[in-house]
Amino acid sequence: MWNGRAAVFAALFFAVQAGFAFAQDVTLKSRDGTISLSGTLLGFDGEFYRIETRFGELTVDGSGVSCTGVGCPSLTGYVARVTISGSATLGRVLMPALIEGFALRNGLEAMRTAGPDGDPVYALREAGGGPLVGEFTFRVTNTDTGFADLVADEADIVMALREIRADEVTAAKNAGLGDLTQPNRSRVLALDAMVPIVSSHNPVGSLSIVQLVDILSGRIDNWTALGGPDAPITVHLRDDGSGMVQGLQDRLLRPARQSLVDGAVRHDSNPDLIRAMAHDPFGLGMASYSEIGNTKPLVMTGPCGFRLRAARRSIKTEDYPLTAPMFLYVPARRLPRLAREFLAYTHSPPAQIVIRRAGFVDQSPEEIAVDLQGDRLANAVAVAEGPEGLAALQGMVKALAPLRRLTVTFRFEAGSARLDAQSRSNVLALARAMEAGLYDGRRLVFVGFSDGVGPASANLDIADRRAEAVREAVQAAAETADLDRIDIAVEAFGEALPMACDDSAWGRQVNRRVEVWVQ
């Protein structure tokens, strides 16, 4: 299979049908014969031709022209072929499950075979043994390799467990793939979490973010520092190309100006790591929430008394401190129609059911009543300082009691007024729901919170401005929504409901957020 990868007119992208000759001279003629365009055929996506002409690269709608020449593809037997590369966490289970769900939803039959490297290949045919209409090939590797394959013309879509990095953004731009940081170039497929795990025989049950950083950097190397036995800690991690490891580096170690311990035991796959952890009574590993196996996940806590465990709801609301979005990155080129339809399907309600059944956390909005948020309120009571702190907490509970919290949270990049990648995806998701009329006749309240550093009055003002900024972003994205049918308001409660201890830069960043409540 050959996939065109040069920059194209109108930023289009496509996968090419295997079997036809490429880089051949062709002539495209208008139906009435008055216009003729000759050049070298660079590709065809079932709908559009891309040719190199004396005017440069041009993309031409195939419905308005006829093609002559040895390089002309078949218009009737076109097969959409797409290669998807990257994270094994997505590629082994979740993406295949979504392909099968998409096929079933569209009256297609999906047949799974193994490629040369054992990776899954899905052939999609019309029902009843009809003709082949599409082929999805997976390269199940890691996030690093996924981005490298995209730039090297060997993949069409990237599966990633982290945001794209600056050097990858530059490489993609240089390769003519567009700016992959733009909202329409990346999408959050599902949510996962980075979970510290130990053997079921290990007596330690919890640790703080600061302790986790110290373990991963080697500053804590014995279980006695955590109330455990006098034994060295063996750190188990995936390889350096793993999105999990890179997420730990980006979100925990770099902000603390630390690096990974040199002596960590590395594993080529998540199942290998889980098997090793199950048999190492003195090991500590970092695993995906969806792949914990028979190990014991540790509860995240802190010196201020917080206790948060990885669970579907705490991950969905991003209350769990190490929630990890799972991304698909798509270059600024035209995908075949079948692939575009598949990407649209991944956001649909049926796809969210598939995501849940596959063991991952979906993004269907849920509403949570105040009485189901006992842990959060208990944490808030524990850290409230003096009569003023308790009064602020009481005022917040009184204001929010008639409302229900949506499982949507917005946070900003560190030191920036720009929303982070997950939050940018949340803006679009909430805007789509508003456009669909899901909140017509209801009240939406954007509620701002801050960390506890500095005067309470200043924190309240900052939280209010953040909530206002998110409200404006969502309303701007909801272009076709009838906003007159929705009562939209802004509230702020500053430091009244912290989600983490303020003893680290990471914890303060988590506390600076905007929630959405609905009535």
Side-chain angles (χ1 to χ4, degrees):
M1 181 185 78
W2 175 86
N3 287 319
R5 289 295 184 275
V8 301
F9 179 77
L12 300 177
F13 169 81
F14 51 86
V16 187
Q17 178 185 0
F20 78 79
F22 60 92
Q24 297 285 342
D25 289 339
V26 299
T27 298
L28 303 179
K29 293 183 179 181
S30 62
R31 297 301 182 188
D32 60 8
T34 59
I35 299 176
S36 178
L37 189 65
S38 297
T40 301
L41 181 67
L42 300 178
F44 177 68
D45 72 347
E47 297 174 277
F48 286 80
Y49 298 94
R50 185 166 65 98
I51 64 172
E52 180 70 42
T53 73
R54 60 191 180 94
F55 305 107
E57 286 187 15
L58 298 178
T59 300
V60 181
D61 186 346
S63 64
V65 299
S66 60
C67 180
T68 58
V70 295
C72 290
S74 168
L75 300 181
T76 57
Y78 176 76
V79 177
R81 287 186 166 88
V82 180
T83 299
I84 305 173
S85 177
S87 164
T89 303
L90 280 85
R92 275 205 320 270
V93 177
L94 181 54
M95 288 293 283
L98 286 169
I99 291 287
E100 292 175 359
F102 168 73
L104 184 64
R105 192 78 180 174
N106 289 275
L108 302 173
E109 296 176 347
M111 178 174 292
R112 175 170 174 158
T113 58
D117 297 326
D119 292 335
V121 178
Y122 277 87
L124 272 59
R125 297 182 179 275
E126 293 183 3
L132 182 69
V133 297
E135 189 174 85
F136 289 81
T137 299
F138 289 89
R139 301 189 68 183
V140 180
T141 52
N142 55 48
T143 298
D144 261 7
T145 303
F147 284 118
D149 284 349
L150 185 67
V151 173
D153 305 347
E154 296 177 0
D156 306 321
I157 300 173
V158 178
M159 304 175 289
L161 286 186
R162 60 165 173 80
E163 285 191 65
I164 188 170
R165 289 175 165 173
D167 58 333
E168 293 162 339
V169 172
T170 300
K173 287 180 179 178
N174 293 339
L177 304 178
D179 184 355
L180 297 189
T181 65
Q182 294 301 307
N184 57 340
R185 302 272 66 88
S186 69
R187 60 191 67 202
V188 176
L189 184 66
L191 297 177
D192 203 350
M194 299 179 285
V195 182
I197 58 172
V198 296
S199 164
S200 58
H201 302 293
N202 192 311
V204 174
S206 64
L207 79 169
S208 71
I209 290 291
V210 174
Q211 290 172 327
L212 178 59
V213 170
D214 287 345
I215 293 170
L216 295 176
S217 63
R219 293 195 293 181
I220 290 180
D221 58 7
N222 194 291
W223 285 105
T224 55
L226 304 174
D230 184 8
I233 299 174
T234 303
V235 177
H236 292 259
L237 298 171
R238 284 288 311 279
D239 55 277
D240 282 334
S242 162
M244 170 77 72
V245 170
Q246 294 169 353
L248 291 171
Q249 292 172 324
D250 292 346
R251 295 175 59 184
L252 293 182
L253 293 169
R254 287 199 179 97
R257 299 181 180 180
Q258 299 296 320
S259 56
L260 283 173
V261 61
D262 291 333
V265 179
R266 298 308 186 103
H267 302 273
D268 293 332
S269 69
N270 294 329
D272 287 346
L273 186 149
I274 297 301
R275 282 192 293 269
M277 282 300 307
H279 296 92
D280 185 351
F282 304 122
L284 182 140
M286 295 301 301
S288 163
Y289 168 74
S290 60
E291 297 183 285
I292 290 175
N294 59 353
T295 63
K296 182 174 77 173
L298 298 182
V299 176
M300 302 306 300
T301 186
C304 56
F306 279 55
R307 291 184 65 85
L308 289 169
R309 65 183 69 249
R312 192 185 71 86
R313 180 171 289 169
S314 64
I315 293 171
K316 195 168 191 176
T317 58
E318 298 181 69
D319 291 347
Y320 179 71
L322 295 178
T323 296
M326 308 176 81
F327 297 95
L328 292 183
Y329 280 87
V330 182
R333 302 227 182 125
R334 185 182 180 86
L335 285 166
R337 178 184 295 172
L338 188 70
R340 299 197 306 270
E341 291 172 349
F342 168 70
L343 290 174
Y345 163 80
T346 62
H347 284 304
S348 69
Q352 304 311 305
I353 296 173
V354 172
I355 290 169
R356 287 197 297 272
R357 289 177 176 173
F360 297 85
V361 179
D362 66 282
Q363 296 191 90
S364 296
E366 298 178 27
E367 299 178 13
I368 308 172
V370 170
D371 59 4
L372 295 179
Q373 301 184 59
D375 287 346
R376 297 211 315 159
L377 294 175
N379 289 338
V381 171
V383 299
E385 295 183 357
E388 291 184 358
L390 288 174
L393 182 58
Q394 290 172 345
M396 180 195 69
V397 172
K398 182 178 180 180
L400 298 181
L403 310 179
R404 300 171 72 88
R405 181 191 177 192
L406 284 184
T407 51
V408 176
T409 303
F410 300 90
R411 288 189 172 88
F412 295 82
E413 294 178 347
S416 171
R418 183 173 185 253
L419 289 168
D420 64 22
Q422 171 63 25
S423 298
R424 295 195 295 272
S425 178
N426 288 344
V427 166
L428 298 178
L430 184 56
R432 284 194 296 267
M434 292 167 65
E435 290 175 331
L438 296 183
Y439 300 107
D440 285 359
R442 304 190 69 183
R443 184 170 184 245
L444 283 179
V445 184
F446 292 83
V447 183
F449 296 95
S450 71
D451 59 41
V453 178
S457 59
N459 289 337
L460 188 64
D461 180 63
I462 292 172
D464 183 74
R465 283 189 274 125
R466 289 195 182 108
E468 187 64 37
V470 172
R471 179 194 65 78
E472 292 176 355
V474 172
Q475 289 189 187
E479 296 178 354
T480 64
D482 186 354
L483 299 181
D484 291 336
R485 296 180 60 83
I486 309 173
D487 180 10
I488 301 176
V490 169
E491 288 274 9
F493 298 105
E495 58 198 65
L497 191 59
M499 295 308 308
C501 301
D502 280 328
D503 62 333
S504 67
W506 177 89
R508 295 187 291 273
Q509 176 69 17
V510 168
N511 288 332
R512 299 191 287 265
R513 70 196 186 280
V514 175
E515 300 176 358
V516 181
W517 290 65
V518 62
Q519 187 175 22

